[in-house]
Amino acid sequence: NVVAAGACYNGKSTLKFTWRIAVLMLGFYSLFQCIGVMIRGLRFEAMVRPPARKEHAITHLGVSEALRSKGIGSRLVHQLIINSRALPPARFVLEVSDIYDKARALYERVGFRDIKYRPSILRGTVPSGKEIIVPGHSRMELVIKRKDQ
């Protein structure tokens, strides 16, 4: 069983990551559909920005619902930071949605602090006709300093 998952990548690999996603989308969607998906993705990135060149983004975090509140999320975040091999000083960023209060509390316990809030700018409808609104997001950061700083 999968207990938890997450990813960490740095801003230097953003272009390569974006290219790989585009290739995957072209393999899944028709060209016409792909253009629409890419436009929506770019609109989303206006609100939830990829990491800057010297940042490390922690993304796609999740813990199995049955195993939450047992410290697994904290250990996962710490392990992602260790696995990044970033040498201090290092800046880690993540995005957290307004609707995830428990996730925000976890990130604060680990040491992340709010640096910017972006309100929702995305609204639309799904094929069933239901209106959806993407919640606002906060960018949080954790700066790991050298021991002599």
Side-chain angles (χ1 to χ4, degrees):
N1 292 341
V2 175
V3 172
C8 182
Y9 68 100
N10 65 31
K12 293 176 187 173
S13 61
T14 299
L15 184 58
K16 185 174 17 173
F17 179 74
T18 303
W19 174 253
R20 285 183 180 162
I21 293 297
V23 169
L24 288 172
M25 287 191 316
L26 284 167
F28 185 77
Y29 296 106
S30 70
L31 181 59
F32 180 73
Q33 290 172 315
C34 194
I35 290 169
V37 171
M38 287 180 178
I39 289 170
R40 287 190 296 279
L42 291 171
R43 287 181 56 211
F44 185 72
E45 280 191 0
M47 192 168 81
V48 178
R49 300 191 185 267
R53 190 157 179 77
K54 293 186 177 183
E55 293 176 334
H56 301 270
I58 294 178
T59 63
H60 309 298
L61 294 172
V63 175
S64 173
E65 197 167 339
L67 298 170
R68 292 180 185 162
S69 299
K70 298 183 185 313
I72 294 169
S74 296
R75 290 194 302 267
L76 175 60
V77 171
H78 283 112
Q79 194 61 49
L80 288 169
I81 290 169
I82 290 166
N83 289 355
S84 76
R85 298 186 185 139
L87 299 174
R91 184 171 182 231
F92 291 86
V93 295
L94 56 79
E95 301 280 341
V96 63
S97 170
D98 286 349
I99 63 173
Y100 294 122
D101 295 333
K102 288 183 179 180
R104 172 183 291 285
L106 162 74
Y107 304 143
E108 288 172 347
R109 281 193 307 274
V110 171
F112 282 85
R113 299 290 171 247
D114 282 325
I115 56 172
K116 181 152 185 138
Y117 179 75
R118 289 188 176 88
S120 178
I121 57 170
L122 301 175
R123 289 173 169 67
T125 55
V126 293
S128 68
K130 180 181 175 186
E131 182 181 23
I132 58 168
I133 299 172
V134 175
H137 281 72
S138 293
R139 178 165 274 221
M140 301 179 80
E141 78 170 354
L142 171 67
V143 177
I144 299 175
K145 298 179 179 178
R146 291 192 322 244
K147 289 184 180 187
D148 61 345
Q149 288 184 313

